[in-house]
Amino acid sequence: MVTMGQCYYNETIGFFYNNSGKELSSHWRPKDVVVVTLGLTVSVLVLLTNLLIIAAIASNRRFHQPIYYLLGNLAAADLFAGVAYLFLMFHTGPRTARLSLEGWFLRQGLLDTSLTASVATLLAIAVERHRSVMAVQLHSRLPRGRVIMLIVGVWVAALGLGLLPAHSWHCLCALDRCSRMAPLLSRSYLAVWALSSLLVFLLMVAVYTRIFFYVRRRVQRMAEHVSCHPRYRETTLSLVKTVVIILGAFVVCWTPGQVVLLLDGLGCKSCNVLAVEKYFLLLAEANSLVNAVVYSCRDAEMRRTFRRLLCCLCLRRSTHESAHYTPSTRTGTSTRIMLSENGHPLMDSTL
């Protein structure tokens, strides 16, 4: 018998799932196998691609700029999301019932923290792009200290939002407030999380819209002067294309999940959110892969760094396989990345 005002810290996961009406399977269903198979595939791809981005930014000094620090933070957040989703895949299906309350909150907290950090970093990147474009710079002159403070702020906010449910924003003492999608969390938490993500997206749209109209006006003015540098026009137009792709990917990957979270948070009884929640969560996780693909495909310097890193791995492997490999060959490889006369060749970056 459930008593109002009573706390249920000693109950099992099954107790809360039964209270919310969410089925807790005792065996692997075809749906579970499909979700786990797709989830493991996406997680591995997310881990590999974002590790490559982090390695590229760390190894190339020309990426030691504020925007690339933020891109590195985005890759770190997406890498964390891949780890969190991988953890979920190994603790889902019939294994959910064997979780303790602390284990369930850990599983949920990892997801909430990583995805919040990813979304917040996308907003930070939008703000940095606004600063640099308005200042007519390829990269803003934001001091490194401020970039670090911005990154720390992103993670403090993400950790705060991810840890709150385990400590206070749960429904262990108010079963009538439990959500259906996350039976241990309060519906208000889901609503706030969904509305926060929606607010971030609207801010991103506002920032990039202002950038778009500013760039269009400036390109029109620069086209009237013969002395304007064509590279700036190419870079600004590429920037517009890139941000449209990023915003489009954000909408496709995040909107379905935010809608069902909001519906569940608002207590919609007639909405069958449980039928699609796992697939929409997988779609949100796929955004961590989409971010990496967008940056690797549209940044020429990043692509060159990727090729160099992958070639280095191949050369190291061939070093162990061939006894005839000499240091002179390695020297020949390094000459391909010599800097230009001023020590910093012009970077063809689109973001």
Side-chain angles (χ1 to χ4, degrees):
M1 181 177 178
V2 176
T3 305
M4 296 298 293
Q6 180 180 351
C7 295
Y8 299 88
Y9 295 109
N10 296 323
E11 294 293 344
T12 63
I13 294 295
F15 172 83
F16 294 97
Y17 274 63
N18 291 333
N19 174 70
S20 296
K22 185 173 183 178
E23 183 181 1
L24 193 61
S25 60
S26 58
H27 61 279
W28 288 101
R29 301 166 297 181
K31 175 184 177 180
D32 298 326
V33 175
V34 171
V35 170
V36 170
T37 302
L38 291 175
L40 289 175
T41 302
V42 171
S43 296
V44 171
L45 291 175
V46 167
L47 293 174
L48 293 176
T49 52
N50 285 287
L51 276 174
L52 187 60
I53 289 178
I54 293 173
I57 294 174
S59 62
N60 193 333
R61 287 191 174 184
R62 283 169 282 180
F63 290 153
H64 294 181
Q65 301 286 344
I67 182 61
Y68 287 105
Y69 294 152
L70 293 175
L71 290 182
N73 189 65
L74 177 62
D78 289 337
L79 181 68
F80 186 23
V83 172
Y85 200 75
L86 196 63
F87 183 82
L88 172 64
M89 292 299 98
F90 284 110
H91 297 84
T92 191
R95 296 170 182 166
T96 301
R98 297 198 292 268
L99 289 172
S100 63
L101 297 187
E102 293 77 10
W104 191 94
F105 279 120
L106 173 63
R107 189 185 75 171
Q108 189 67 35
L110 289 174
L111 280 174
D112 293 345
T113 300
S114 59
L115 295 178
T116 301
S118 180
V119 172
T121 305
L122 286 176
L123 178 59
I125 291 173
V127 172
E128 197 281 339
R129 283 291 83 194
H130 180 271
R131 286 173 54 89
S132 61
V133 170
M134 294 302 168
V136 198
Q137 298 169 352
L138 183 59
H139 303 292
S140 72
R141 295 177 181 176
L142 191 65
R144 291 187 180 182
R146 291 188 183 180
V147 175
I148 294 174
M149 289 179 60
L150 185 60
I151 292 174
V152 170
V154 165
W155 284 102
V156 168
L159 286 171
L161 202 57
L163 294 176
L164 270 178
H167 292 85
S168 59
W169 215 340
H170 50 67
C171 63
L172 302 187
C173 300
L175 297 183
D176 58 319
R177 299 178 184 176
C178 292
S179 67
R180 286 189 292 165
M181 292 175 59
L184 275 69
L185 299 186
S186 172
R187 289 195 303 271
S188 61
Y189 174 78
L190 268 65
V192 169
W193 205 97
L195 290 174
S196 299
S197 298
L198 178 61
L199 177 61
V200 168
F201 174 71
L202 292 177
L203 290 173
M204 288 170 57
V205 170
V207 170
Y208 283 128
T209 299
R210 189 161 188 265
I211 290 176
F212 173 78
F213 285 111
Y214 175 83
V215 167
R216 190 177 67 172
R217 288 195 305 268
R218 185 162 187 83
V219 168
Q220 290 175 348
R221 293 174 184 174
M222 293 176 68
E224 300 174 359
H225 300 82
V226 181
S227 60
C228 83
H229 202 297
R231 185 172 294 277
Y232 181 80
R233 174 172 180 150
E234 294 173 4
T235 301
T236 51
L237 291 178
S238 296
L239 169 65
V240 172
K241 294 177 183 177
T242 301
V243 297
V244 167
I245 293 173
I246 292 174
L247 289 178
F250 190 95
V251 170
V252 171
C253 294
W254 280 99
T255 302
Q258 299 307 319
V259 169
V260 296
L261 278 177
L262 189 57
L263 290 175
D264 191 16
L266 296 176
C268 180
K269 300 296 184 181
S270 60
C271 305
N272 191 14
V273 295
L274 297 179
V276 294
E277 56 150 346
K278 292 184 182 294
Y279 300 106
F280 287 172
L281 177 59
L282 177 62
L283 190 60
E285 174 62 24
N287 185 249
S288 296
L289 177 62
V290 171
N291 289 338
V293 172
V294 166
Y295 299 135
S296 64
C297 289
R298 295 196 58 81
D299 194 314
E301 181 66 22
M302 188 75 78
R303 290 197 303 269
R304 285 192 289 269
T305 306
F306 288 161
R307 286 194 294 267
R308 187 166 69 249
L309 288 173
L310 294 175
C311 287
C312 287
L313 291 176
C314 294
L315 288 175
R316 287 182 180 180
R317 179 176 298 179
S318 63
T319 301
H320 295 288
E321 294 176 355
S322 175
H324 300 289
Y325 189 81
T326 61
S328 60
T329 307
R330 189 173 301 176
T331 302
T333 304
S334 64
T335 56
R336 294 191 303 116
I337 57 171
M338 290 295 290
L339 301 177
S340 60
E341 293 180 0
N342 60 359
H344 296 281
L346 201 57
M347 184 169 12
D348 184 16
S349 173
T350 57
L351 186 66

